[in-house]
Amino acid sequence: MKFELTYHKHDVVVVGAGIAGLYAALKTSAKVDTAVLSKVYPTRSHSGAAQGGCAASLGNMMEDHWEWHMYDTVRGSDFLGDQDAQELLVREAVPVMYEMEHLGVPFDRTEQGRIAQRPFGGHFGNFGKSPMMRSCYAADRTGHAQLHCLYEQCVKNEVRFYNEFYALTLIIKDGVCQGVVAWDVNGGGLHVFHAKAVHLATGGYGRCWKITSNSMANTGDGLSLVMRQGLPLEDMEFVQFHPTGVWKHGMLISEAARGEGGYLINDKGERFMENYAKAKMELAPRDVVSRAEQTEINEGRGIKGQDCVHIDLRHLGKEKIITRLPQVRELALKFVGLDMIDSPIPIQPTAHYSMGGIPVNLDTQVLRDTGKTAVPGLYASGECACVSVHGANRLGTNSTLECAVYGRIGGIKMLDYVCKHPGHDDLPEDAAEMAREEIEHLLSTAGTKSGVRPVELRDRMQETMSENVAVFRQAEDLKKQVGICQDLRQEYKKVAIDDGGIKANTDLIEAIELGHMLDYAYMIAQCALERPECRGAHWRTDHPGRNDKKWLKHTLAWLHGDEIRIEYKPVVITRFQPEERKY
Amino acid sequence: MMERIFRIFRFNPETDKEPYYDTFTIEVQDTWTILDGLNAIKWHHDGTLSYRRSCRHGICGSCAMMINGKNDLACEKQISSVKGEITVEPLKGFPVTRDLMVDQTHFFEGLRLVKPWLINHTAPPTDKERLQTPEDRKLLDGTWECILCGACTSSCPAFWDNDSFLGPAALLKAYRYICDTRDEGLDERIGILDSKVGVWRCHTIFNCVEACPKDLNPTNAIVQLRRRLIQEKL
């Protein structure tokens, strides 16, 4: 099979066109030649699915301070977040929110014309003591509003978009990132992007679970690109299960539904959060609520004994549901056939957000070790990165915030870097070799019929990850899952696809994505096995309690062939010492 | 589980001279959407079937296609809501890339022409937001929710006639900014909106309203834009 090899040269190449990638591109494109590669059209990125809002201590509804936001974020992270990164996040939140308003984001407004804010789980006033309205929102389509606005601003800045280009490998020579190799999904053909700086903003990676809120594109491609260069990933065991996934489907009923006052109800008609977080009830952080739900289900109090509980909004009234939660209502109508105005909705925990990812410093530069050594020219931000602001558990409305704040910082820092590097370094001669081998191999399997269908491996991965690496974890299951992942990675070598075509070959892309998912699923299982404690979203039933003495540290994991090597690095603690986490 | 028949438009420009239809009979669950059906076909029967999809809940806009003659999002359309054989075809009016995938380059280019960004000649306040009353903000409702799936533009006879027509999605986007009280860009956009490819080419036959999976009303936006243009001329 023949396909073309095309070379491009840009100052900056951003991979991924969600809020983080577009914010980075917006900043660099003001001065230097910037390209964005995205496997989907930019407005199809998963940031657009973010519903409830974006946190900032604007204080538009009530007194608020960045220190309070920081305390909530630190405590929410179960003290595993790096406090220097968390402080930067919450301080920058305020100017960034204003900047997004200036760019045109259609936030809802207060009577005074200010950006409206609403309550959200885990956000409080006065160091965890009083209720707080901190989430800036545009109905329940906040991510959509931000994503479209940033895309349009990038169009205005004449960012060069390569839409439906799928990044395959990084080009790293003598330890310096020189670019990225991508496959043109529609036209076919390899493209070498020669760049002074590459920014990975490839998003989340919840697709290795069966029940997940994540879009089908969230296959962790950026993680594999990094891992396969012998670089580490950080805190992969920490994955948040969101308490309000639509039963059996997994897509999200926004936390705004609880923020606006929704109740969680078990089969006996009880608001069961009373038994788990008496003070904060439904507004406790997501890890706490998901465990409460799973316990109700495991102990037989799921609705009709099934693996779901109810979210009940009926007492909010029609008007509030229609104006504040229109999308959530539409979702329940379309997927469950029930109207929240007069019916509770069945929900279950759903794999939602990955706190871990590509380790980066405060400038979003990718790190190569447990110290401070960065890979020159390589940056990452958003959900694929781990800076680490969310630690062991993320608070609602802090994710789009992280994308905006650190995507923006990444753009500014890359601009500095690029301006100091007037020329492009020489590319290695075999820049596209690894990518070419992967494509040629998979295309050569087309129609051989003797191989394994990708769906068989993907189904097994998703089902077993949901069984063994979910809300509650224990060594026995995790060991089993490590073995399953090892087997699946071996079987992946025998995968055969149907489609041997060059153009618009989505069979090929799905097979490559599967390889990426198997890489990081293996890491998640192994890292979860190696941390015997309960912290945030990582809950080991065989090792109760948080163990700060031994485990107040970040996991760094390297993939060497079929083996995983683990090292640790300390958590940055500045303002808030670890304390018991109670809600 | 029950059996359903999918009749799917197929065309691979690399190998096919003409488009044709393939028929698949598959077992479906009663909670499945059209997208679930397409996935089952692709994963278990024919990996060469090509279509776009991502979010699975009607916000990303990837999977707009024609289902039994009507534009819809495959991820939101329940199989149980479709009677008999299910015919799935690509969006009309766009060149077919392959099977159910269409080339939307031109569609996004049209969007760029209306300058879809906030135009404001006064510097924003430092360390504060611009103020906007809730009533003024409400004017934007029904415009900014557009997911750019292309269902409306693809259903528009004026666009079929002449694909240089900006079409309902781009005009809705223009209106989203023009009716934003923070925006001062009418002058900059008037040239394209008042041109041969602008608002006057719409025949107000409301196909776009019917096609929109998000229940938006691009025709209303076009009529409002016409009103603004006439006011400007007077």
Side-chain angles (χ1 to χ4, degrees):
Chain A
M1 77 241 29
K2 280 267 174 264
F3 48 81
E4 300 277 317
L5 179 62
T6 312
Y7 285 85
H8 309 263
K9 204 181 245 190
H10 295 283
D11 290 321
V12 173
V13 170
V14 177
V15 183
I19 291 175
L22 292 175
Y23 224 135
L26 182 62
K27 288 295 157 188
T28 57
S29 61
K31 284 194 184 145
V32 300
D33 172 30
T34 301
V36 173
L37 315 185
S38 174
K39 69 195 255 191
V40 294
Y41 273 97
T43 56
R44 320 276 185 233
S45 303
H46 195 55
S47 292
Q51 298 171 344
C54 198
S57 56
L58 305 184
N60 285 355
M61 319 296 287
M62 50 181 35
E63 182 185 353
D64 198 3
H65 301 282
W66 67 259
E67 290 91 341
W68 295 356
H69 186 187
M70 178 170 171
Y71 175 76
D72 293 339
T73 304
V74 171
R75 192 163 68 128
S77 77
D78 218 345
F79 298 88
L80 190 72
D82 286 324
Q83 295 187 16
D84 52 351
Q86 291 173 320
E87 179 167 339
L88 188 59
L89 177 82
V90 299
R91 293 180 82 136
E92 284 294 303
V94 175
V96 165
M97 214 58 56
Y98 291 139
E99 186 169 275
M100 280 196 281
E101 191 283 325
H102 297 161
L103 291 171
V105 173
F107 287 113
D108 278 41
R109 299 291 174 149
T110 67
E111 284 307 315
Q112 294 73 39
R114 315 280 302 272
I115 295 171
Q117 299 184 274
R118 67 173 157 211
F120 236 78
H123 291 276
F124 307 104
N126 200 15
F127 302 104
K129 292 192 182 65
S130 50
M132 176 49 66
M133 298 165 98
R134 187 178 286 145
S135 166
C136 308
Y137 62 95
D140 56 358
R141 296 183 173 94
T142 316
H144 167 83
Q146 292 171 320
L147 175 72
H148 281 243
C149 175
L150 288 167
Y151 169 65
E152 291 157 3
Q153 289 289 325
C154 284
V155 170
K156 178 188 176 192
N157 271 12
E158 297 181 351
V159 167
R160 177 68 199 267
F161 281 100
Y162 294 88
N163 296 329
E164 302 190 313
F165 273 60
Y166 184 87
L168 291 168
T169 53
L170 291 169
I171 307 168
I172 294 184
K173 187 184 168 193
D174 304 328
V176 180
C177 184
Q178 312 281 13
V180 59
V181 183
W183 177 255
D184 171 5
V185 178
N186 288 323
L190 280 175
H191 291 251
V192 173
F193 291 88
H194 192 184
K196 295 177 193 168
V198 172
H199 193 104
L200 298 173
T202 57
Y205 42 96
R207 291 304 297 183
C208 69
W209 279 273
K210 188 179 175 194
I211 297 291
T212 173
S213 65
N214 283 204
S215 75
M216 295 177 73
N218 287 7
T219 54
D221 309 310
L223 303 188
S224 271
L225 262 60
V226 163
M227 262 190 270
R228 291 175 186 183
Q229 293 290 335
L231 295 168
L233 297 180
E234 181 172 347
D235 290 343
M236 292 296 287
E237 61 272 40
F238 295 100
V239 176
Q240 178 176 78
F241 288 77
H242 194 294
T244 56
V246 176
W247 185 41
K248 289 186 178 171
H249 292 270
M251 66 278 278
L252 213 60
I253 302 270
S254 169
E255 185 168 325
R258 281 177 291 134
E260 297 291 355
Y263 297 153
L264 297 178
I265 306 285
N266 65 15
D267 195 48
K268 293 173 152 178
E270 300 162 335
R271 275 180 78 187
F272 57 83
M273 284 309 298
E274 194 159 353
N275 305 322
Y276 302 88
K278 204 172 172 56
K280 311 297 187 206
M281 295 295 284
E282 282 87 355
L283 286 181
R286 291 172 179 173
D287 59 329
V288 176
V289 182
S290 278
R291 278 193 292 276
E293 262 176 31
Q294 196 63 53
T295 305
E296 291 297 305
I297 290 167
N298 293 351
E299 294 179 359
R301 292 186 296 278
I303 303 302
K304 293 182 189 158
Q306 303 170 109
D307 57 345
C308 63
V309 294
H310 273 150
I311 183 161
D312 193 343
L313 271 69
R314 288 174 295 180
H315 59 285
L316 298 182
K318 189 174 176 180
E319 178 60 24
K320 197 166 190 182
I321 292 173
I322 286 175
T323 55
R324 301 277 181 86
L325 302 164
Q327 186 182 202
V328 162
R329 176 176 175 240
E330 186 188 319
L331 202 94
L333 275 170
K334 283 186 173 155
F335 292 98
V336 205
L338 295 171
D339 191 341
M340 292 180 145
I341 291 170
D342 48 44
S343 174
I345 306 298
I347 49 156
Q348 72 182 120
T350 182
H352 179 56
Y353 185 88
S354 309
M355 276 72 75
I358 304 163
V360 294
N361 62 22
L362 296 186
D363 292 348
T364 75
Q365 285 179 298
V366 173
L367 298 171
R368 61 161 56 255
D369 55 27
T370 54
K372 292 178 176 169
T373 322
V375 180
L378 186 58
Y379 298 76
S381 67
E383 192 171 343
C384 74
C386 180
V387 59
S388 129
V389 287
H390 309 305
N393 173 61
R394 173 174 74 74
L395 294 188
T397 69
N398 267 355
S399 68
T400 50
L401 176 65
E402 183 201 6
C403 292
V405 166
Y406 281 98
R408 183 175 180 275
I409 289 174
I412 293 166
K413 297 295 172 183
M414 282 194 293
L415 197 53
D416 278 355
Y417 177 84
V418 164
C419 291
K420 285 181 196 146
H421 291 78
H424 285 72
D425 294 336
D426 289 339
L427 279 177
E429 268 179 33
D430 58 349
E433 206 43 47
M434 217 165 113
R436 176 189 293 279
E437 273 170 24
E438 186 171 20
I439 295 278
E440 283 184 344
H441 163 68
L442 281 169
L443 288 178
S444 75
T445 67
T448 52
K449 305 284 179 201
S450 58
V452 187
R453 287 189 84 79
V455 65
E456 292 174 31
L457 304 186
R458 195 170 52 232
D459 281 355
R460 259 159 63 199
M461 170 188 64
Q462 290 170 336
E463 275 161 26
T464 55
M465 284 296 283
S466 285
E467 248 170 59
N468 299 323
V469 198
V471 175
F472 293 116
R473 304 166 173 190
Q474 53 175 327
E476 199 185 328
D477 297 339
L478 294 169
K479 267 185 209 149
K480 197 160 96 191
Q481 190 60 30
V482 167
I484 291 170
C485 287
Q486 286 167 337
D487 293 346
L488 289 172
R489 291 181 82 245
Q490 290 307 316
E491 285 185 59
Y492 179 72
K493 293 173 183 162
K494 290 179 259 166
V495 151
I497 58 176
D498 287 344
D499 195 341
I502 302 297
K503 293 186 176 177
N505 185 342
T506 49
D507 200 22
L508 169 71
I509 299 300
E510 287 190 359
I512 301 171
E513 288 173 336
L514 173 62
H516 291 168
M517 288 192 276
L518 289 172
D519 281 353
Y520 73 76
Y522 178 31
M523 272 226 172
I524 291 169
Q526 183 74 45
C527 292
L529 176 63
E530 306 251 359
R531 182 181 284 269
E533 67 157 348
C534 296
R535 185 182 296 276
H538 175 68
W539 206 263
R540 286 283 297 265
T541 50
D542 52 348
H543 288 274
R546 196 177 76 195
N547 184 348
D548 285 339
K549 234 183 192 163
K550 272 184 138 168
W551 291 101
L552 185 57
K553 56 189 179 184
H554 296 290
T555 308
L556 283 191
W558 283 259
L559 182 67
H560 299 289
D562 297 328
E563 298 296 315
I564 290 171
R565 174 169 62 89
I566 290 184
E567 292 184 27
Y568 299 95
K569 71 173 181 182
V571 176
V572 179
I573 294 172
T574 57
R575 288 170 184 268
F576 302 107
Q577 289 304 313
E579 59 184 31
E580 196 194 349
R581 188 165 165 254
K582 255 187 166 169
Y583 289 94
Chain B
M1 297 288 274
M2 63 180 295
E3 253 182 21
R4 292 299 298 263
I5 300 167
F6 280 71
R7 187 171 158 267
I8 302 177
F9 177 99
R10 304 297 303 265
F11 180 60
N12 180 354
E14 276 189 277
T15 51
D16 303 329
K17 283 204 176 103
E18 295 288 331
Y20 61 98
Y21 287 81
D22 242 349
T23 301
F24 299 91
T25 305
I26 58 165
E27 292 275 318
V28 306
Q29 292 179 20
D30 53 2
T31 55
W32 277 17
T33 62
I34 298 292
L35 177 61
D36 292 321
L38 294 176
N39 287 339
I41 292 167
K42 182 175 181 67
W43 295 340
H44 296 285
H45 300 276
D46 182 358
T48 68
L49 177 64
S50 306
Y51 52 93
R52 292 192 181 93
R53 81 286 179 279
S54 191
C55 76
R56 306 170 297 142
H57 63 278
I59 189 69
C60 79
S62 298
C63 66
M65 51 188 75
M66 204 153 59
I67 299 160
N68 279 7
K70 190 180 172 304
N71 288 353
D72 229 315
L73 297 176
C75 73
E76 285 193 336
K77 186 80 180 168
Q78 301 290 326
I79 289 177
S80 57
S81 73
V82 184
K83 295 217 163 59
E85 199 174 85
I86 303 163
T87 301
V88 190
E89 295 163 297
L91 287 180
K92 251 190 208 170
F94 299 119
V96 174
T97 306
R98 185 171 172 180
D99 298 342
L100 304 171
M101 293 167 73
V102 293
D103 184 354
Q104 293 190 318
T105 315
H106 180 67
F107 172 75
F108 277 88
E109 176 58 18
L111 199 72
R112 191 184 66 80
L113 294 176
V114 304
K115 300 194 176 183
W117 49 78
L118 195 76
I119 298 174
N120 190 301
H121 306 298
T122 41
T126 44
D127 305 332
K128 278 283 168 271
E129 65 271 62
R130 286 194 182 90
L131 297 182
Q132 186 175 46
T133 66
E135 294 71 34
D136 285 345
R137 166 60 184 76
K138 214 171 166 43
L139 298 173
L140 301 180
D141 285 345
T143 66
W144 66 279
E145 299 92 332
C146 170
I147 58 174
L148 297 176
C149 66
C152 59
T153 299
S154 150
S155 74
C156 172
F159 181 77
W160 301 338
D161 272 358
N162 181 344
D163 73 358
S164 59
F165 172 43
L166 290 172
L171 292 170
L172 179 66
K173 184 63 85 175
Y175 183 61
R176 175 254 172 273
Y177 280 102
I178 285 170
C179 75
D180 192 323
T181 52
R182 300 170 296 174
D183 188 88
E184 299 168 348
L186 180 61
D187 290 351
E188 288 187 40
R189 299 188 186 100
I190 210 163
I192 185 89
L193 295 177
D194 201 18
S195 74
K196 280 193 293 193
V197 302
V199 294
W200 310 109
R201 197 168 275 277
C202 165
H203 298 167
T204 53
I205 55 165
F206 295 90
N207 271 15
C208 54
V209 180
E210 203 182 320
C212 179
K214 299 286 103 180
D215 298 326
L216 306 179
N217 189 333
T219 305
N220 177 55
I222 294 170
V223 170
Q224 297 299 331
L225 284 171
R226 287 177 175 174
R227 195 168 287 164
R228 292 292 290 273
L229 294 190
I230 290 168
Q231 278 169 359
E232 288 296 308
K233 285 183 183 179
L234 291 173

